[in-house]
Amino acid sequence: MTMKNGNTITALRERIARGELSHEALIDEVLEAAEQPAARHVFTRLYADAARAAARHADAARKAGIETAPLAGLPVSVKDLYDVAGETTMAGSAVCAGEAPAAHDATAVTRLRAQGAAIVGKTNMTEFAFSGVGINPHYGTPRNPADAQTPRIPGGSSSGAAVSVALGLAVAGLGSDTGGSIRIPAALCGLVGFKSTQSRVPRTGAFELARSLDTVCAMARSVEDCLIADAAIADAPLAVRRRPLQGMRLAVPRTLMFDDIEPAVARAFDRALQSLSAAGAQIVDITLAELAEIATVNAPGGFSPVEAAAVHRERFAARRDGFDARVAARIALGTEVRAADYIAMQDRRRDWIGRVGRAIEGFDALVCPTVPIVAPPIDALAEDAAFFRANGLLLRNTFAINLLDGCAFSLPCHAPGELPVGLMLASVHGDDARLAAVALAAEPVLRHIDGIHHDSHAMALLR
């Protein structure tokens, strides 16, 4: 497929500038590939005509010598929870059928269009973005491209977004991250995911899960590509001052983040730490005992269940049987929480954020496994007990950063032939630009480990 050997934004733009490829030819190939078996369940809707129109516009601008934005004419996917004018936003559910269509595009979608991006389609997701697994009983589950033999989960909730990028159907996937929904599928599919500080990108037109935590953000094939996508949806680039890895201080929090870690993840992460240390980073183990308080801070019910229960109060009362039963079970946890308890949760969270921030002062980033397990087979999660155990493990490490109102990157750190493993770099609220400099410095070291230079394992499935 066209994107296999030039699948980063910069590489594609260079090929187009040399005349080796046109935007329209690229979009034609992407749309054809999106209909192939490997892409089954990735998209809930394709926008073929609009994507081709954006591509033709970018081609015309190039021929006229007009400079275009980095995403102009390139394929981008949009998670099914973002409003597109004239359509009912389904958010991976069936119970929204018949609800009023959106009057306007979501702000993030508007900004992507303004950049000239060729939005190829809406991507599948966990119903209402409420799990880290990526299984959807209504629209099917996209298969993780990292394993050609065993159907494995893609991670969620931005499941289709991740697979669209991993298969080369998009240079960036607009998703969302409430408890890890960008970083989890990025880690399990071998991609880079950037969860920005929540306030960086407006949430207008994004179907709400938990307003205290929801973050509009994207995943791509490299840190640079994530920053290009972030600049588009935030309507301003981060002022990143590049720095060498030499001398950066990275804190490894040993509380909670390594509990129940699978051997494959432990090996990949330890190897990554050794490589980062050899490249000059200072790796410092810290306790960060505050992480053991997360369950207490998030009780009773949890921010996501309580706030989702408010969002879905009328739907839940009228059409609960139409919900994914596992999503309904989580929403139900928030239905009886009293206002006084919810306010106390907010107070505990503010106090906890302050204490964690003070505990990690002086470090350039926290570093830990993005998730403690590799992607399990889809069939292994057929029973509720196995599903909820996997869901809890998948969300545990990433949720800590949402609770912190922080920012984080997930970077691939696995070796060739291994299932994808993500390494998470994280920091506090508003530290996005400085953290991006850490990620840019760490990425070449980790890329040397994985040996695949961010080419998809699965691209051959579409050739």
Side-chain angles (χ1 to χ4, degrees):
M1 182 181 167
T2 296
M3 290 177 66
K4 177 169 175 59
N5 297 315
N7 48 29
T8 66
I9 292 169
T10 298
L12 281 171
R13 285 175 60 84
E14 288 174 352
R15 291 184 62 200
I16 291 167
R18 292 194 298 266
E20 298 174 8
L21 176 68
S22 70
H23 294 95
E24 187 171 9
L26 173 62
I27 295 303
D28 283 343
E29 292 195 19
V30 164
L31 290 169
E32 181 181 355
E35 301 283 4
Q36 300 304 308
R40 190 175 180 221
H41 305 313
V42 171
F43 291 97
T44 58
R45 183 187 295 260
L46 290 173
Y47 300 119
D49 291 343
R52 288 190 176 103
R56 287 193 292 269
H57 187 274
D59 284 333
R62 185 185 68 82
K63 289 176 183 176
I66 299 171
E67 185 175 353
T68 58
L71 289 176
L74 298 184
V76 172
S77 66
V78 170
K79 190 175 181 178
D80 193 34
L81 57 67
Y82 288 98
D83 285 351
V84 170
E87 299 176 5
T88 298
T89 304
M90 300 299 290
S93 182
V95 299
C96 295
E99 294 185 7
H104 307 284
D105 286 349
T107 298
V109 174
T110 297
R111 290 176 174 179
L112 287 169
R113 293 197 201 280
Q115 291 284 310
I119 298 175
V120 294
K122 275 192 171 180
T123 51
N124 200 358
M125 56 182 283
T126 303
E127 182 182 67
F128 297 128
F130 212 167
S131 103
V133 175
I135 289 174
N136 187 303
H138 309 296
Y139 303 106
T141 300
R143 176 174 172 165
N144 191 324
D147 190 339
Q149 281 72 48
T150 302
R152 295 180 181 272
I153 65 164
S157 63
S158 304
S159 54
V163 180
S164 74
V165 177
L167 289 177
L169 306 178
V171 295
L174 177 64
S176 64
D177 194 308
T178 301
S181 289
I182 280 287
R183 290 159 290 156
I184 294 166
L188 297 187
C189 292
L191 304 171
V192 179
F194 175 36
K195 182 255 183 265
S196 55
T197 297
Q198 186 193 37
S199 59
R200 178 158 169 75
V201 183
R203 303 191 305 279
T204 308
F207 199 110
E208 193 174 302
L209 170 58
R211 63 182 60 188
S212 295
L213 306 168
D214 291 349
T215 308
V216 175
C217 46
M219 67 185 81
R221 306 200 62 77
S222 69
V223 174
E224 190 67 49
D225 285 4
C226 280
L227 295 178
I228 289 171
D230 169 78
I233 61 178
D235 203 26
L238 287 169
V240 180
R241 184 172 63 86
R242 290 181 181 256
R243 300 163 50 203
L245 192 63
Q246 180 77 33
M248 288 187 181
R249 301 185 72 232
L250 305 179
V252 182
R254 291 294 174 178
T255 299
L256 186 69
M257 299 299 208
F258 294 85
D259 293 354
D260 298 314
I261 190 170
E262 289 185 349
V265 177
R267 285 193 300 270
F269 183 77
D270 288 346
R271 186 173 57 222
L273 287 188
Q274 292 169 15
S275 297
L276 292 170
S277 177
Q282 297 178 26
I283 309 297
V284 182
D285 281 0
I286 64 172
T287 303
L288 198 58
E290 289 84 358
L291 294 175
E293 303 173 28
I294 288 176
T296 301
V297 173
N298 200 39
F303 282 98
S304 293
V306 171
E307 295 179 356
V311 171
H312 296 289
R313 182 172 58 178
E314 293 182 4
R315 292 187 193 91
F316 211 56
R319 302 188 294 281
R320 175 171 176 167
D321 288 348
F323 281 66
D324 176 349
R326 290 164 171 172
V327 171
R330 296 190 72 197
I331 293 174
L333 296 173
T335 55
E336 302 300 324
V337 175
R338 299 177 302 170
D341 292 328
Y342 176 69
I343 291 170
M345 289 166 62
Q346 296 282 8
D347 290 342
R348 288 196 300 270
R349 183 190 183 199
R350 279 191 293 271
D351 172 72
W352 183 83
I353 288 172
R355 289 188 287 115
V356 172
R358 290 188 291 274
I360 61 177
E361 284 180 358
F363 291 102
D364 290 287
L366 294 173
V367 58
C368 66
T370 308
V371 295
I373 61 176
V374 296
I378 295 171
D379 289 347
L381 305 186
E383 300 297 326
D384 283 354
F387 175 91
F388 283 114
R389 181 181 184 278
N391 189 57
L393 286 171
L394 289 167
L395 287 161
R396 185 193 66 205
N397 292 7
T398 53
F399 175 74
I401 310 307
N402 295 82
L403 191 66
L404 184 64
D405 191 19
C407 50
F409 283 87
S410 179
L411 305 177
C413 68
H414 56 287
E418 297 177 346
L419 288 173
V421 173
L423 176 145
M424 183 163 65
L425 295 165
S427 192
V428 296
H429 174 99
D431 203 27
D432 305 60
R434 196 165 64 87
L435 182 67
V438 179
L440 285 165
E443 183 179 37
V445 176
L446 302 179
R447 186 181 295 178
H448 177 73
I449 293 171
D450 71 33
I452 55 177
H453 301 281
H454 298 281
D455 267 348
S456 172
H457 323 280
M459 295 299 294
L461 295 175
L462 293 182
R463 286 187 297 179

